[in-house]
Amino acid sequence: MTLLRNTCFATAAAVALTVGFAANPALSAQVDDREHGWCNVVTNIQPENVIRSSSGKAVIQDSSYPCEPQMAEEPEPEPEAPESFVVYFDFDRSNIRPDAAETLVDVLETAEMEDVDGYALTGHTDTVGTAEYNMALSLRRAESVRDWLVDRGVPSDEISVAGRGFSEPAVPTGPDVREQLNRRVEIVFQ
């Protein structure tokens, strides 16, 4: 018995096989076309199953039926990205603004609900000024957020601090561009 995966190919093969019926009347094939939505498509290519269409071509009578819906395997869930928050700063400043303080209160509340083990603080700047100056400013911003959290009870050994200067902008700009969204500290739970 021959297993054929494509009904177009199977039909062509069946027509070609009909020539062999004279020599071997028990010749048969099993057709399975799951790729096109048909399951257990079985055609025993016996002389009585091959008929002629109105165009004179050989056509196979078959017993095909649609596939039963198969349950797809559940994909592995993507690991959740650590929760993160962003606080913004005024130009050339590292003090905590009132809107930043509101975000930091949300950080503390969320950390309490999620039993957070640590905080990674990364400071950033816009592109105004030298690379050295902005690296120091980004670090001061991250330290300012750390101090705010420590003042409210977060142990300092649970907080890591880093500065990136203007090397990782949230909004790419040219040099010497004041961009509010780049003057930030990103807070990621660990």
Side-chain angles (χ1 to χ4, degrees):
M1 188 178 295
T2 305
L3 179 64
L4 303 173
R5 303 284 302 165
N6 184 305
T7 54
C8 294
F9 177 73
T11 302
V15 171
L17 291 172
T18 58
V19 175
F21 285 133
N24 184 1
L27 189 62
S28 65
Q30 180 179 8
V31 179
D32 186 343
D33 190 21
R34 293 174 198 270
E35 293 174 24
H36 295 97
W38 295 95
C39 294
N40 298 324
V41 180
V42 177
T43 302
N44 289 319
I45 305 173
Q46 302 294 334
E48 63 272 11
N49 290 0
V50 179
I51 59 173
R52 298 267 176 209
S53 69
S54 59
S55 67
K57 294 184 180 180
V59 177
I60 301 171
Q61 295 175 337
D62 63 26
S63 59
S64 60
Y65 57 90
C67 291
E68 303 251 341
Q70 294 182 357
M71 299 302 290
E73 286 188 29
E74 290 279 330
E76 290 291 323
E78 295 280 332
E80 287 189 30
E83 185 127 15
S84 64
F85 296 84
V86 179
V87 294
Y88 297 97
F89 292 83
D90 291 327
F91 178 73
D92 199 26
R93 298 281 184 251
S94 60
N95 58 305
I96 303 294
R97 301 184 329 193
D99 61 320
E102 290 175 19
T103 300
L104 292 172
V105 168
D106 291 342
V107 166
L108 291 175
E109 290 173 353
T110 304
E112 187 176 317
M113 288 187 299
E114 295 184 10
D115 193 31
V116 170
D117 294 327
Y119 304 78
L121 312 178
T122 307
H124 301 271
T125 67
D126 59 24
T127 59
V128 176
T130 67
E132 296 80 21
Y133 180 81
N134 280 296
M135 185 60 72
L137 177 58
S138 66
L139 189 56
R140 282 195 312 272
R141 287 175 175 166
E143 290 169 344
S144 179
V145 171
R146 180 199 56 207
D147 294 345
W148 191 97
L149 293 171
V150 168
D151 287 348
R152 282 146 188 90
V154 176
S156 61
D157 63 343
E158 292 181 7
I159 303 171
S160 66
V161 176
R164 298 285 187 265
F166 52 64
S167 66
E168 297 174 11
V171 178
T173 67
D176 296 318
V177 175
R178 291 184 182 199
E179 174 55 57
Q180 172 64 72
L181 297 177
N182 290 338
R183 299 189 304 261
R184 69 199 190 280
V185 168
E186 297 173 345
I187 304 153
V188 178
F189 293 156
Q190 297 178 321

